[in-house]
Amino acid sequence: AEFSGIPKMTHYTNSFSLLLLLHLTYTFATHVFTDLEGRTEHAEVTAYQYGIFRLRFRDGQKYEVGDVVVATDDLSVPQSGDVFQHNSLNTVVQQSSLTVQENGLKAEFTVNSKAAITTELAAADGDNVGVTVTFPETTVLYGIPERAIDMALKEGHKYRMYNLDIFKYELDNDQGLYGIIPLLMAHSAERTVGFLFLNAADASVQLESDGGNGKKTTFSSEGGIVDMFFIPGPTPLDVQRQYSYLTGKQYLPPLFSLGYHQCRWNYRSEEDVLQVDAGFDKYDIPYDVIWLDIEHTDGKRYFTWDSHNFPTPEKMQEAISDKGRKMVTITDPHIKRAPGYHVFDEATANGYFVKNSAGTADYEGHCWPGTSSWLDFTNPDVRDWYATLFKYDRYKGSTPILYSWIDMNEPSVFNSHEVTMDKSALHHGNVKHRDVHNMYGYYHNMAAHQGHMLRSQGPPHDIPTRPFILSRSFYSGTQRYCAVWTGDNQAEWSHLTKATPMLLSLSLSGLPFVGADVGGFFGNPDAELLVRWYQQATLTPFFRGHAHLESKRREPWLFGDDNTALIRTAIRTRYKILPFIYTQFYIASQEGSSVIFPLFMQWPSDSSLFELQDQFMIGTGLMAKTISEPGVTETEVRLPGTQPWYSFSTGASYSAPAATVGCSLQQGIPILQLGGTILPLRERPRRSSNAQVNDPFTLQVALDNQKQASGSLYLDDTHSFKYQNGAFLFRQFTFENGKLSSTSYSQRTAYTTPVGQVSESFSTKTTVERVRLFGYDTKPSSVSLQYNLQGASYDAAGLQGVVPEDHTKPVPLTFEYENGVLTVRKPQAAIQLDWTITIQ
Amino acid sequence: MNLACCLLLLFPQLLCGLRGVNETEYQMHYSNPDTFQCLSDSSVRISATQVNDDYCDCIDGSDEPGTSACDYKFYCENAGHQPQHIFSSRVNDGICDCCDGADEYSGFVECADGCAALAEKLRLLRLEKERIRKEGITKKVAWIQEAVVEMQKLKEELATLEQDKQSYTTKLAELQFIKDKEEEIEEKERQAKKHGLMSDEDEAMPMADGSYSASQDNEDEDEDHDPKIPVPSIFSRFKGWLLDMVDEYIYSLPSRRSADDYKRPEAETARTNYNSQQTLVDNTQERIDKINKIFDTDYGEQKEFYMTTKECLNFVGEYTYKFCPFGQVTQGYTSLGDFSGWKTTEYENYGTTIDRSVQHYTGGVYCHGGPDRSATVVVQCGLENKILSVSELVRCEYQLVWETPAACSMEEDEAASN
């Protein structure tokens, strides 16, 4: 549409502006205009909570991305002329406004009266749409994953947004990989804003300087509409949380899925699976899930088993389940065109496949099974039907410990242009594939998630269980359904190095549950690379070892005793910090934050961190550095902020702004705990996360310069939805004035999901077996525990034998003090109760 | 063990010995009622009350043999079955690991005492194994005896062959002498014939010294002969082919053909005699090599595996495999490797040990994008000679399980008999 050619429609040229305070919710204004071709378009403005605006151009014809935005606009706000206001609920005092001129041709988004984003619509050209988006006063742009590049985007580069299965993807290539989150984070030392371009067609972003000290980006897409969200910040964490408010927060994964996963293309038979499982026990290495890739099926017919190699899948799963572990099978979106195969027959009978361009027959292409067709997940009926395929009576040989892996959903079509679906193929409602391409994987995410929700609604489940699904393709919103991995990487040091910025980019773009294949998918890592990879990946949200069909076996015990021990230590580190990781996921699920993130997000005004991508935070308390070359024994680590840092394993202290840290293969990569934080740990070696649930905790307290620290611990039944009804414990630990106190967590932010009806509770007899303090200056004279029980909170029956009968008296505790590390021995403090440990 | 201890076996964790250690370990390290020294660092002394108090005090974990507090080991007595040590990580983890359930005493899970049943199950398995072994060695002994006979035969055959080879070789030298002589005459006659014919038809002049180089002559003709067959540059890569055509053309000339084809009957006979003698020598050598290879191959200490080479075994699984012991493994028509030896382990200063329960077959057909195919054969005692399973755990690396009486141990399993 030629917006510039409509000056005579003066009654539409009035500009309007909306001024919003934080938490202003729901308003929209529509301006209708007719473009030169006589089509009616609506420039529509919507305002959401937290000062977020949406501006989109609708004509009722073009494809619009749906099913992604979950923010509801159900609050009414006082209106005065063009000004809409709402009382701020937050301590962050902020105003934002959107001024739209010339029927939306130009718009300016301001935050606290300062221009933050300006947009100018490009002249439309056929189906092509575009917009120039300028971010004044912006030092660096991040986001628009997934691609194998540095975290900070670069001027002079054009980034494509088109989901593709790229064979042996090159590093530092601007092409898009398997999924896209069309979100930009524009950052400077002063403030951060976000911009979401909700469009699913083949698109690109060209990045340039704006001529001043900001950035200019040009978005262009071959289809759909221009649909933009302006996200005010003012910090990177605010942008992330506001984005999560729009598209959904990380779902709370079941605890097991945060343990270690062992995968390979392919474990060949039931016997092979059981031998690998036995190997972990033989070498006392913990793991939670063993995976089956495409070869486990009957000729790549998903939801079936190869009857020769997997004749008794239930029996196999029972053996795995007996050790408290789980399994995952793969199920891809391409369906073998084979009459007699129930999925093919039913999809054919119901017309559930994507159609060819004429709409006359099913679209066909080649993938693993040979000639295949693709399920049209954009159709809600297809998703409803697909969900039933996961039910135990439909997926023969599946049991409640079986979870899912959905791959090749870009979609990958071997014999088609760019190894993906023909853009002219037709989806539900005569939508061309070109318009919906980047959403295909996302709709597969939704369908598989729906399937797992459905199957746990009845027997043999007493209560519904949380799904675990791993997907390769994704879109904004995938965080509500799936974990994602970075696809087919390679067994090279360069790929280990690039994994960190790739995962950070996904994390800061609102997709927290991410990981890269340990060891590299293609090729064969040598022992040092593999050990380093385990040392790094054990700290990343999704932790899986995987290898190509043609790669040598690389189970952790195949590289000699020394390397087995190093890998065991690395994987055990994961299980040690699992309570902390699980707590971070809970926080992400409640506040829309991420689990790992780049350092600049915690110290946003330190411009020396803006491009730092070989170090990352795990929660706000731990930091690690990737070691990405052989033979390294020590490395320089950036230590931002003003607080001390401590070696996670020894308590040795380091000061800002940088330090040399020993990191031989035996020492492991640098892992540091930030002064001022308390980490909940489970230090006993176990064979799986399930085997840890009754274990006592260690609280590792790293004191800051004021000798204070705080932290939290989230606990629930690990797998059900009962936590949504209050069946969880969320404890707050605070250290100040020589006292460590445990109280119920009550901190809430403006982003915290409101608590639903509390009808259930969670109780545990677990205790604290050890308190370890880093940075405690002198040897204390005494340490004691005092319960602070005010009747109601103390379930005497449930905690009999844990809490002393006379809990009003302080209990003296023993302790050790060595090299600045104070270890309080066996406080036996019940984790669910309020208490104080006093150090004198 | 004193009497009180024995009486209190029912409550071992309370009074007798110590949970997670056996009697010997208890007496050696844990019986001091006041203090305990960490096993790997005796300078660290802790109070005896800190032993098994569910808190890890020693770096080596030795103060907590009965709990999961340390990365250590836990002893289960498994009365009625065999005692064992398990990892401390298994203690009170909600999964029954010891058959007596001693590892799960916190009540997270109820473990039935399964030692008697397990012992019985293992006893029956062992009995069955022993039955098979006993029956298997009958066949094995027979095979050993057959192998002795076969080896003796081969030895005798080899001696004969060596003698034959010697006489055949002598004879071959004689026949070569005759052949060379006859061929010399034949060549002279051929040259004479050729020059005579050529002088008549082509008026070619012999060289002054009487020699005449046919090859030189040919080369000249190669380059100059017949302008009807040009060699344009664009066809230069066909030059070789064109030159062959030219040669063929030249030799098709009647004069040349008749001269070159000349054969003297006496020379023909000498050649035939020589060639058949050569074949005899070669065949003899081949057989000698084959027998020597058999002598060089390790068919077991008593050559008990030798008789298994007499037949190949088929296995029909997802694909059809053929296994020829000490020969080749194939999948369909694809070689998965040839026998390259038994599994060996090298020990520094102790030499090499041979493990006759695993064979390697290597150098099979190259795998696209991967290594050459290879196979490992796990050899087990069984009544019949057969392949139990074939698996491909890593692409193009196969594993076969081969059951054969040859692998049955001659040693009796005394425990099974008791």
Side-chain angles (χ1 to χ4, degrees):
Chain A
E2 291 286 346
F3 298 110
S4 54
I6 49 169
K8 53 187 171 186
M9 297 192 288
T10 50
H11 59 292
Y12 294 131
T13 59
N14 60 316
S15 66
F16 61 95
S17 90
L18 302 172
L19 179 66
L20 282 100
L21 290 175
L22 191 73
H23 272 262
L24 178 149
T25 302
Y26 190 70
T27 176
F28 81 70
T30 304
H31 277 217
V32 183
F33 61 88
T34 307
D35 68 22
L36 283 184
E37 292 162 34
R39 292 183 299 214
T40 305
E41 298 206 14
H42 302 254
E44 191 174 298
V45 174
T46 316
Y48 295 87
Q49 283 201 65
Y50 312 115
I52 302 165
F53 284 94
R54 180 184 202 172
L55 171 60
R56 57 181 156 169
F57 299 88
R58 318 177 75 174
D59 70 353
Q61 312 279 315
K62 290 177 179 166
Y63 179 77
E64 297 182 13
V65 169
D67 302 306
V68 168
V69 175
V70 293
T72 49
D73 313 318
D74 55 359
L75 295 179
S76 61
V77 287
Q79 184 179 351
S80 163
D82 281 342
V83 180
F84 299 83
Q85 289 185 330
H86 194 280
N87 294 328
S88 171
L89 299 175
N90 199 352
T91 49
V92 182
V93 178
Q94 183 165 24
Q95 289 182 331
S96 69
S97 73
L98 187 72
T99 307
V100 180
Q101 297 167 326
E102 299 176 40
N103 294 320
L105 177 64
K106 289 181 177 171
E108 183 181 63
F109 177 63
T110 69
V111 179
N112 290 339
S113 311
K114 263 184 87 177
I117 305 174
T118 62
T119 63
E120 185 169 350
L121 215 59
D125 170 18
D127 286 335
N128 296 333
V129 296
V131 61
T132 301
V133 186
T134 308
F135 302 91
E137 314 281 327
T138 289
T139 316
V140 59
L141 289 176
Y142 306 103
I144 53 167
E146 176 182 34
R147 53 200 88 235
I149 60 168
D150 291 338
M151 180 176 73
L153 302 173
K154 290 175 182 145
E155 287 179 8
H157 286 244
K158 187 173 185 177
Y159 301 101
R160 191 172 180 204
M161 300 194 285
Y162 193 58
N163 296 347
L164 290 176
D165 173 12
I166 292 176
F167 179 73
K168 291 199 174 175
Y169 59 75
E170 261 183 358
L171 302 181
D172 300 313
N173 187 318
D174 293 337
Q175 68 196 349
L177 296 178
Y178 313 98
I180 179 70
I181 300 173
L183 172 74
L184 280 176
M185 186 185 271
H187 180 67
S188 70
E190 285 74 38
R191 62 120 189 264
T192 316
V193 294
F195 177 80
L196 176 65
F197 182 72
L198 205 61
N199 181 294
D202 188 353
S204 66
V205 195
Q206 170 80 38
L207 170 55
E208 305 292 348
S209 164
D210 73 343
N213 47 9
K215 307 286 181 193
K216 186 178 97 173
T217 59
T218 310
F219 284 77
S220 50
S221 171
E222 331 185 309
I225 63 164
V226 172
D227 186 355
M228 305 177 284
F229 290 79
F230 303 87
I231 301 169
T235 69
L237 185 58
D238 285 314
V239 168
Q240 199 175 54
R241 288 160 159 180
Q242 289 155 359
Y243 166 78
S244 299
Y245 166 75
L246 286 174
T247 65
K249 293 163 182 168
Q250 169 65 45
Y251 83 99
L252 183 63
L255 180 64
F256 80 83
S257 65
L258 304 179
Y260 174 62
H261 299 258
Q262 182 66 36
C263 189
R264 171 177 179 83
W265 177 23
N266 213 107
Y267 287 122
R268 294 296 187 140
S269 61
E270 292 176 358
E271 194 187 11
D272 194 5
V273 166
L274 297 179
Q275 276 177 10
V276 172
D277 177 71
F280 279 92
D281 284 343
K282 179 178 175 191
Y283 293 95
D284 208 13
I285 299 171
Y287 94 102
D288 265 83
V289 192
I290 186 159
W291 292 50
L292 294 177
D293 207 325
I294 52 174
E295 310 296 331
H296 83 278
T297 59
D298 172 15
K300 319 296 187 296
R301 290 168 179 85
Y302 308 109
F303 302 101
T304 71
W305 301 83
D306 172 349
S307 62
H308 184 261
N309 291 312
F310 295 90
T312 55
E314 279 132 328
K315 215 173 128 194
M316 169 183 65
Q317 289 162 67
E318 193 186 326
I320 298 295
S321 175
D322 282 350
K323 295 205 193 143
R325 294 177 178 140
K326 321 287 180 201
M327 291 195 72
V328 164
T329 51
I330 197 164
T331 174
D332 288 349
H334 50 257
I335 301 302
K336 185 179 176 76
R337 294 195 65 85
Y341 169 35
H342 70 290
V343 180
F344 174 74
D345 288 345
E346 290 175 34
T348 304
N350 293 305
Y352 285 164
F353 288 121
V354 176
K355 299 286 181 290
N356 65 14
S357 56
T360 51
D362 295 339
Y363 171 83
E364 289 184 20
H366 273 264
C367 208
W368 299 123
T371 303
S372 306
S373 285
W374 274 257
L375 292 172
D376 185 7
F377 297 111
T378 68
N379 179 350
D381 292 341
V382 175
R383 297 199 295 273
D384 289 346
W385 164 82
Y386 187 74
T388 68
L389 295 174
F390 291 85
K391 293 177 73 175
Y392 300 108
D393 57 343
R394 300 265 277 148
Y395 186 2
K396 303 281 185 213
S398 70
T399 74
I401 65 145
L402 194 65
Y403 292 82
S404 289
W405 175 14
I406 56 176
D407 192 4
M408 311 296 282
N409 45 9
E410 295 73 27
S412 180
V413 182
F414 291 160
N415 60 337
S416 179
H417 182 57
E418 294 194 285
V419 196
T420 195
M421 191 173 277
D422 193 326
K423 284 176 179 171
S424 64
L426 284 183
H427 290 266
H428 177 59
N430 272 331
V431 173
K432 282 201 178 87
H433 184 70
R434 68 161 62 239
D435 288 327
V436 73
H437 174 85
N438 286 345
M439 301 276 292
Y440 185 81
Y442 177 73
Y443 278 116
H444 192 199
N445 298 167
M446 286 175 73
H449 183 267
Q450 191 180 331
H452 276 268
M453 294 295 281
L454 180 68
R455 74 161 197 178
S456 78
Q457 293 304 310
H461 294 262
D462 336 325
I463 46 168
T465 51
R466 291 176 233 156
F468 169 72
I469 299 157
L470 179 74
S471 176
R472 192 167 70 182
S473 189
F474 55 87
Y475 193 76
S476 286
T478 291
Q479 68 274 15
R480 308 199 301 270
Y481 307 114
C482 293
V484 159
W485 91 110
T486 58
D488 300 346
N489 59 357
Q490 296 171 42
E492 304 288 342
W493 284 95
S494 58
H495 276 257
L496 168 58
T497 309
K498 200 59 92 183
T500 312
M502 286 178 79
L503 297 179
L504 291 177
S505 194
L506 289 163
S507 289
L508 69 81
S509 304
L511 187 55
F513 199 4
V514 290
D517 283 340
V518 176
F521 177 64
F522 290 111
N524 297 299
D526 63 18
E528 184 176 3
L529 174 58
L530 186 65
V531 169
R532 284 302 196 197
W533 213 313
Y534 272 106
Q535 290 175 348
Q536 186 253 28
T538 198
L539 302 164
T540 60
F542 176 62
F543 181 26
R544 180 181 79 154
H546 186 34
H548 188 267
L549 185 68
E550 290 169 13
S551 297
K552 293 195 178 87
R553 287 268 167 160
R554 59 167 88 136
E555 285 75 44
W557 49 87
L558 296 177
F559 295 79
D561 290 348
D562 292 350
N563 293 308
T564 302
L566 293 174
I567 295 171
R568 180 192 295 119
T569 301
I571 298 179
R572 282 185 177 180
T573 299
R574 171 58 162 228
Y575 285 83
K576 186 172 171 176
I577 64 171
L578 205 52
F580 174 66
I581 299 261
Y582 193 48
T583 302
Q584 298 313 306
F585 266 91
Y586 178 71
I587 293 170
S589 76
Q590 298 302 299
E591 311 214 335
S593 50
S594 53
V595 174
I596 62 167
F597 48 87
L599 272 61
F600 84 85
M601 287 190 65
Q602 193 152 336
W603 293 272
S605 56
D606 182 346
S607 58
S608 72
L609 304 175
F610 291 180
E611 294 186 13
L612 187 69
Q613 60 180 26
D614 61 354
Q615 292 180 220
F616 58 99
M617 299 297 297
I618 305 104
T620 52
L622 272 184
M623 185 257 279
K625 177 171 181 175
T626 306
I627 297 300
S628 43
E629 56 186 25
V632 177
T633 56
E634 57 176 41
T635 188
E636 181 89 347
V637 180
R638 279 280 290 116
L639 300 171
T642 54
Q643 300 297 350
W645 292 81
Y646 302 89
S647 160
F648 174 71
S649 55
T650 69
S653 70
Y654 302 95
S655 318
T660 300
V661 177
C663 63
S664 65
L665 205 58
Q666 286 67 33
Q667 288 168 300
I669 64 169
I671 308 177
L672 301 175
Q673 185 178 348
L674 176 61
T677 63
I678 299 176
L679 305 183
L681 310 173
R682 270 180 164 144
E683 299 195 327
R684 300 185 175 197
R686 290 297 192 187
R687 69 177 124 202
S688 69
S689 67
N690 193 55
Q692 291 183 301
V693 295
N694 295 307
D695 279 353
F697 293 91
T698 291
L699 297 179
Q700 185 157 297
V701 183
L703 298 177
D704 66 10
N705 294 324
Q706 290 73 45
K707 301 297 168 195
Q708 295 179 349
S710 64
S712 59
L713 168 66
Y714 173 79
L715 277 178
D716 62 15
D717 68 5
T718 75
H719 61 273
S720 82
F721 290 97
K722 282 182 168 181
Y723 75 97
Q724 292 176 342
N725 301 323
F728 66 86
L729 292 174
F730 196 17
R731 305 300 301 172
Q732 163 93 38
F733 305 110
T734 313
F735 188 91
E736 55 189 351
N737 303 322
K739 287 177 199 281
L740 173 66
S741 56
S742 166
T743 54
S744 181
Y745 193 94
S746 56
Q747 289 176 17
R748 301 184 57 76
T749 72
Y751 304 98
T752 311
T753 302
V755 180
Q757 206 178 0
V758 175
S759 56
E760 310 218 36
S761 63
F762 176 76
S763 182
T764 173
K765 283 180 151 181
T766 53
T767 60
V768 175
E769 68 168 334
R770 184 184 292 108
V771 176
R772 188 183 292 129
L773 284 101
F774 294 158
Y776 200 82
D777 291 335
T778 51
K779 185 176 180 173
S781 57
S782 72
V783 180
S784 63
L785 166 73
Q786 172 72 62
Y787 278 100
N788 315 314
L789 308 178
Q790 268 104 44
S793 68
Y794 174 38
D795 173 4
L799 290 163
Q800 219 164 20
V802 176
V803 179
E805 282 194 21
D806 182 3
H807 53 74
T808 57
K809 284 184 186 156
V811 183
L813 301 175
T814 54
F815 58 89
E816 286 161 34
Y817 182 78
E818 205 174 354
N819 304 327
V821 179
L822 174 65
T823 308
V824 179
R825 198 179 178 282
K826 285 184 83 177
Q828 304 289 77
I831 204 75
Q832 73 175 64
L833 299 180
D834 291 0
W835 42 256
T836 303
I837 291 172
T838 305
I839 301 167
Q840 285 173 324
Chain B
M1 205 186 288
N2 60 39
L3 182 65
C5 238
C6 290
L7 288 173
L8 290 162
L9 262 175
L10 284 173
F11 312 99
Q13 70 277 25
L14 300 177
L15 292 159
C16 177
L18 183 71
R19 195 201 296 275
V21 298
N22 62 28
E23 185 61 22
T24 317
E25 290 166 334
Y26 175 72
Q27 293 300 344
M28 278 181 72
H29 307 297
Y30 297 92
S31 53
N32 185 321
D34 304 317
T35 59
F36 172 74
Q37 296 178 340
C38 298
L39 294 192
S40 60
D41 183 0
S42 56
S43 70
V44 181
R45 260 169 200 276
I46 58 173
S47 156
T49 58
Q50 286 171 251
V51 172
N52 277 355
D53 70 340
D54 204 26
Y55 184 87
C56 197
D57 291 289
C58 297
I59 287 170
D60 67 3
S62 57
D63 60 312
E64 295 294 320
T67 76
S68 62
C70 299
D71 187 7
Y72 199 61
K73 57 183 181 174
F74 177 91
Y75 173 80
C76 12
E77 178 154 0
N78 291 344
H81 187 44
Q82 291 156 345
Q84 69 180 132
H85 277 102
I86 61 168
F87 294 117
S88 298
S89 64
R90 312 288 197 265
V91 176
N92 290 327
D93 70 343
I95 298 162
C96 306
D97 289 278
C98 303
C99 65
D100 63 2
D103 57 315
E104 293 298 320
Y105 57 83
S106 276
F108 300 132
V109 63
E110 288 280 326
C111 300
D113 185 347
C115 289
L118 185 62
E120 177 63 9
K121 196 174 149 193
L122 288 179
R123 192 183 68 83
L124 292 175
L125 272 174
R126 220 162 164 176
L127 267 180
E128 175 62 5
K129 222 174 151 184
E130 182 61 3
R131 187 188 67 78
I132 290 168
R133 187 195 67 79
K134 274 186 180 155
E135 232 179 294
I137 58 174
T138 317
K139 181 78 185 172
K140 177 174 171 176
V141 167
W143 275 354
I144 291 170
Q145 286 164 353
E146 285 174 52
V148 169
V149 174
E150 290 254 343
M151 289 297 154
Q152 186 56 37
K153 274 191 201 160
L154 288 172
K155 214 168 154 186
E156 287 161 12
E157 188 189 346
L158 185 63
T160 313
L161 286 168
E162 290 288 2
Q163 279 180 3
D164 289 353
K165 185 183 148 191
Q166 204 154 14
S167 60
Y168 294 159
T169 314
T170 313
K171 177 83 176 167
L172 183 68
E174 288 167 16
L175 290 173
Q176 175 150 25
F177 181 76
I178 296 168
K179 179 176 87 87
D180 289 351
K181 248 181 125 173
E182 290 296 340
E183 284 182 337
E184 207 177 311
I185 300 167
E186 183 184 51
E187 181 60 18
K188 276 183 186 157
E189 288 180 359
R190 179 183 295 148
Q191 292 301 334
K193 249 183 179 200
K194 201 175 193 173
H195 297 164
L197 286 168
M198 284 181 73
S199 311
D200 289 344
E201 294 182 7
D202 299 331
E203 296 180 24
M205 296 297 287
M207 303 291 277
D209 62 358
S211 70
Y212 191 99
S213 165
S215 66
Q216 205 179 340
D217 187 57
N218 278 351
E219 273 172 29
D220 292 342
E221 292 207 24
D222 282 349
E223 285 171 19
D224 303 330
H225 194 82
D226 202 342
K228 282 185 283 183
I229 308 172
V231 187
S233 63
I234 54 160
F235 290 125
S236 61
R237 64 197 179 106
F238 297 117
K239 196 174 173 188
W241 173 75
L242 285 168
L243 290 179
D244 288 345
M245 294 283 289
V246 170
D247 277 350
E248 235 170 76
Y249 174 72
I250 292 163
Y251 283 95
S252 69
L253 296 173
S255 59
R256 284 298 174 86
R257 195 176 52 215
S258 54
D260 282 339
D261 287 354
Y262 170 70
K263 299 274 194 293
R264 188 171 182 265
E266 293 84 349
E268 283 283 87
T269 311
R271 270 193 293 269
T272 310
N273 289 344
Y274 172 81
N275 286 344
S276 42
Q277 189 65 20
Q278 179 69 58
T279 308
L280 195 58
V281 170
D282 289 348
N283 288 349
T284 309
Q285 186 60 49
E286 200 179 307
R287 180 65 186 154
I288 289 170
D289 290 347
K290 202 171 171 187
I291 293 174
N292 277 327
K293 199 183 162 198
I294 290 173
F295 288 148
D296 289 344
T297 303
D298 179 354
Y299 293 108
E301 275 175 23
Q302 298 172 281
K303 303 208 184 295
E304 62 271 19
F305 284 96
Y306 177 66
M307 295 308 289
T308 67
T309 63
K310 302 292 179 182
E311 66 166 340
C312 297
L313 308 172
N314 287 316
F315 180 81
V316 183
E318 213 174 345
Y319 304 95
T320 300
Y321 300 89
K322 190 164 121 186
F323 170 61
C324 301
F326 299 87
Q328 197 176 52
V329 187
T330 50
Q331 175 186 319
Y333 295 102
T334 307
S335 166
L336 307 185
D338 294 310
F339 179 68
S340 61
W342 296 96
K343 181 185 173 187
T344 55
T345 312
E346 278 175 49
Y347 295 96
E348 216 177 320
N349 306 328
Y350 292 99
T352 304
T353 62
I354 299 170
D355 176 358
R356 289 203 188 79
S357 67
V358 178
Q359 293 185 332
H360 295 298
Y361 291 75
T362 56
V365 174
Y366 173 75
C367 220
H368 178 69
D372 289 345
R373 287 176 173 80
S374 64
T376 301
V377 178
V378 176
V379 191
Q380 296 175 352
C381 164
L383 291 180
E384 279 178 80
N385 207 25
K386 66 177 180 188
I387 294 298
L388 292 185
S389 68
V390 181
S391 50
E392 188 187 356
L393 294 182
V394 176
R395 194 165 154 269
C396 303
E397 292 177 23
Y398 298 80
Q399 194 184 61
L400 285 73
V401 180
W402 172 30
E403 205 177 77
T404 172
C408 295
S409 168
M410 299 300 267
E411 284 165 38
E412 196 172 332
D413 181 355
E414 283 172 27
S417 313
N418 290 342

